[in-house]
Amino acid sequence: MAEQPRTILEKIWDDHVVASDPGAPAILAIDLHLVHEVTSPQAFTGLRERGLKIRKPGQTVATADHSIPTLDPSLPIADELARKQLAQIEENCREFGIPFHGKGSPTRGIVHVIGPELGLTQPGMTIVCGDSHTATHGAFGALAFGIGTSEIEMVLATQTLLQRKPKTFRVEVTGRLQPGVGAKDIILALIARIGIGGGTGHVFEYTSSAIRALSMEERMTVCNMSIEGGARAGLIAPDETTFAYLKGRKFAPQGAAWDAAVARWRKLPTDAGATYDRTIVIDGDRLEPMVTYGTNPGMGVAVTGQIPALSDVEPGARDDLERALAYMGLEAGSSIAGRKLDVVFIGSCTNGRIEDMRAAASVLRGRHVADGLRVLVVPGSQQVKAQAESEGLDEVFRAAGAEWRESGCSMCIAMNGDQLEPGEYGISTSNRNFQGRQGKGGRTFLASPLTAAASAVTGVVTDPRTLVAAPQSSAVEAH
């Protein structure tokens, strides 16, 4: 009898279920557990109180990213909470025998950046972390999702987790992206269409021509924000692009083990004839650069568009829109382009990789940021920083008047003074625009690195296509 066609989610799930009873959560084996300093301390305390050891220390990897300052690392850490968190994770990793990529390590960085660049993230894995944006790793065909502190403790102690099987949601992105439109615009367009709860109870599987054409770093950007659409995770089936990215990385299989792994990974993509619980189609040919205008990632429009009028949204959403616009100081029905900015932030686990740095530099090269504007460029890892500097990108940013920093989460989560002041407007390549997310009273527009860099040049929210196509010499003269 022929096997029932399965989706990639179903294949990974079936491969990792240790035990299950009808109506109850399954016990799921976890292949890789990523840990950072903010969500893990209580879990380690719980282990000590119960006299437990870590079940498989080799399958847990820790880094410092949220609390680490992005200024000179040799300076004392001014934020007392950050200092305590960094000291605590170092002690926890030492006591429990966990590999730690901490302060001073050349492999330190944002947890969702270093996992892939070290080759720890691999197709077919189950990956968890006490962080919402663990879905990033789904770009490799891994089932990856965020967990809470009590779940962190369970994974440390048992290398398993109680989980209910999610439903499947196919996101088909057809056609081809136009110049100036990127991966960030795909995911912002999806969330604007389905809302922040549209994927609840599901795992997104991103498919079709526009997705296949993306690099691994672009795929990570798309999967990163799956949680912002309510999904448990995001997945892209592995292919030749995936294998080429992973080959030769430090923790990727080598030699005969590599060949065996690739043969296994080739069986992961969804079978022909497999069914999804839901499907949505996005026309990649028609996508434009996207910008958010409100206080959640679903409040987004094309940069050429207008902020919705109250009459444009469902009655149940009007109060939320009204509150968001009041906080943002914006008018319904007005254009999003041309909004004055105080700060530009380029970085985060969404857009802090080398390709993001290159994209931003391609706009800023030979230009200068607008007068009175503060621009922070923060690489996602020390390896990204080193690569950018070897290519001279740091010099491009400094020459343009931007600040070039050490790696870390930085302004994404308003740590260590990297934040908006009350009332300031910032355009950010990060993943969340919640009230106060980037600083109490700060107002955030989410956008791609190209859009953020273009806006840095003009000082207002700007369509990057107007600068990408323009001769740079004229831009220099304008300044």
Side-chain angles (χ1 to χ4, degrees), residues 168-456:
T168 53
F169 192 146
R170 184 183 186 190
V171 180
E172 222 183 320
V173 189
T174 61
R176 183 178 180 179
L177 301 184
Q178 302 305 306
V181 181
K184 184 68 162 286
D185 304 309
I186 292 175
I187 191 63
L188 286 176
L190 170 65
I191 302 167
R193 185 162 157 189
I194 67 170
I196 56 172
T200 301
H202 294 74
V203 166
F204 292 141
E205 184 186 342
Y206 301 97
T207 71
S208 210
S209 54
I211 296 296
R212 288 287 151 217
L214 298 177
S215 69
M216 286 312 300
E217 298 198 355
E218 291 169 320
R219 294 178 188 189
M220 285 184 251
T221 293
V222 173
C223 287
N224 174 274
M225 289 185 65
S226 299
I227 184 72
E228 309 305 341
R232 189 75 177 111
L235 276 166
I236 296 174
D239 59 11
E240 298 306 318
T241 301
T242 319
F243 309 148
Y245 177 96
L246 280 172
K247 190 170 186 180
R249 292 189 182 268
K250 184 174 181 180
F251 292 100
Q254 308 293 327
W258 169 260
D259 296 333
V262 171
R264 191 168 63 249
W265 296 339
R266 289 190 193 281
K267 297 175 183 177
L268 283 170
T270 295
D271 298 327
T275 58
Y276 294 86
D277 295 296
R278 291 182 65 188
T279 297
I280 191 170
V281 179
I282 293 173
D283 185 351
D285 289 320
R286 300 182 64 182
L287 283 180
E288 293 188 76
M290 296 288 295
V291 182
T292 62
Y293 56 82
T295 52
N296 71 55
M299 294 179 173
V301 290
V303 69
T304 56
Q306 281 76 43
I307 297 164
L310 294 180
S311 57
D312 294 335
V313 301
E314 296 292 324
R318 289 175 188 170
D319 286 348
D320 287 344
L321 176 60
E322 207 162 13
R323 280 193 296 270
L325 295 184
Y327 178 81
M328 292 293 291
L330 301 174
E331 293 179 11
S334 62
S335 296
I336 190 69
R339 297 288 163 183
K340 191 174 184 308
L341 299 168
D342 301 291
V343 180
V344 174
F345 171 63
I346 297 169
S348 82
C349 64
T350 315
N351 285 123
R353 297 175 181 82
I354 189 62
E355 290 179 9
D356 302 309
M357 302 292 109
R358 290 171 184 154
S362 73
V363 176
L364 290 171
R365 185 174 282 109
R367 297 186 167 110
H368 201 277
V369 304
D371 290 344
L373 190 70
R374 185 184 183 201
V375 179
L376 277 73
V377 185
V378 183
S381 73
Q382 292 302 93
Q383 287 194 33
V384 171
K385 183 174 186 285
Q387 179 66 32
E389 290 174 352
S390 75
E391 296 178 16
L393 303 186
D394 59 320
E395 295 174 10
V396 172
F397 296 130
R398 289 193 182 101
E403 299 176 34
W404 175 245
R405 298 296 197 93
E406 296 291 317
S407 66
C409 292
S410 184
M411 190 177 279
C412 177
I413 197 166
M415 293 292 288
N416 290 293
D418 296 359
Q419 62 191 57
L420 297 173
E421 296 301 320
E424 282 190 330
Y425 286 97
I427 194 162
S428 173
T429 66
S430 55
N431 40 50
R432 287 185 168 161
N433 54 339
F434 303 158
Q435 289 189 27
R437 167 79 176 187
Q438 295 198 285
K440 186 176 180 181
R443 298 156 164 175
T444 298
F445 302 111
L446 299 178
S448 73
L450 285 177
T451 302
S455 302

Side-chain angles (χ1 to χ4, degrees), residues 5-285:
R6 295 182 296 166
T7 65
I8 182 173
L9 169 64
E10 291 164 333
K11 292 179 185 183
I12 298 172
W13 185 271
D14 293 347
D15 236 12
H16 288 81
V17 171
V18 176
S20 63
D21 290 314
I27 300 175
L28 202 65
I30 301 302
D31 294 315
L32 177 63
H33 184 194
L34 300 167
V35 175
H36 62 68
E37 72 274 22
V38 174
T39 55
S40 63
Q42 299 93 327
F44 285 103
T45 299
L47 292 181
R48 289 187 187 96
E49 289 173 348
R50 297 165 66 184
L52 297 174
K53 294 183 177 180
I54 293 182
R55 177 76 186 275
K56 295 186 177 180
Q59 289 174 235
T60 299
V61 177
T63 191
D65 55 8
H66 283 60
S67 301
I68 203 96
T70 61
L71 287 168
D72 186 342
S74 65
L75 295 174
I77 299 171
D79 186 303
E80 186 180 356
L81 177 60
R83 190 167 60 251
K84 286 180 177 177
Q85 287 173 333
L86 293 169
Q88 189 64 59
I89 192 168
E90 193 168 348
E91 180 185 327
N92 289 338
C93 290
R94 187 168 51 248
E95 179 181 340
F96 287 92
I98 295 171
F100 178 51
H101 302 263
K103 189 177 178 181
S105 167
T107 52
R108 183 190 63 74
I110 302 175
V111 66
H112 308 311
V113 176
I114 70 165
E117 72 184 10
L118 291 173
L120 291 163
T121 303
Q122 297 171 23
M125 279 185 164
T126 50
I127 301 174
V128 297
C129 176
D131 190 279
S132 304
H133 298 100
T134 308
T136 307
H137 306 266
F140 291 80
L143 177 57
F145 50 90
I147 57 176
T149 297
S150 61
E151 293 174 309
I152 293 171
E153 186 177 342
M154 180 177 181
V155 176
L156 289 172
T158 70
Q159 208 59 40
T160 65
L161 194 62
L162 291 171
Q163 284 289 294
R164 293 188 183 276
K165 185 178 180 182
K167 294 180 179 179
T168 53
F169 192 146
R170 184 183 186 190
V171 180
E172 222 183 320
V173 189
T174 61
R176 183 178 180 179
L177 301 184
Q178 302 305 306
V181 181
K184 184 68 162 286
D185 304 309
I186 292 175
I187 191 63
L188 286 176
L190 170 65
I191 302 167
R193 185 162 157 189
I194 67 170
I196 56 172
T200 301
H202 294 74
V203 166
F204 292 141
E205 184 186 342
Y206 301 97
T207 71
S208 210
S209 54
I211 296 296
R212 288 287 151 217
L214 298 177
S215 69
M216 286 312 300
E217 298 198 355
E218 291 169 320
R219 294 178 188 189
M220 285 184 251
T221 293
V222 173
C223 287
N224 174 274
M225 289 185 65
S226 299
I227 184 72
E228 309 305 341
R232 189 75 177 111
L235 276 166
I236 296 174
D239 59 11
E240 298 306 318
T241 301
T242 319
F243 309 148
Y245 177 96
L246 280 172
K247 190 170 186 180
R249 292 189 182 268
K250 184 174 181 180
F251 292 100
Q254 308 293 327
W258 169 260
D259 296 333
V262 171
R264 191 168 63 249
W265 296 339
R266 289 190 193 281
K267 297 175 183 177
L268 283 170
T270 295
D271 298 327
T275 58
Y276 294 86
D277 295 296
R278 291 182 65 188
T279 297
I280 191 170
V281 179
I282 293 173
D283 185 351
D285 289 320

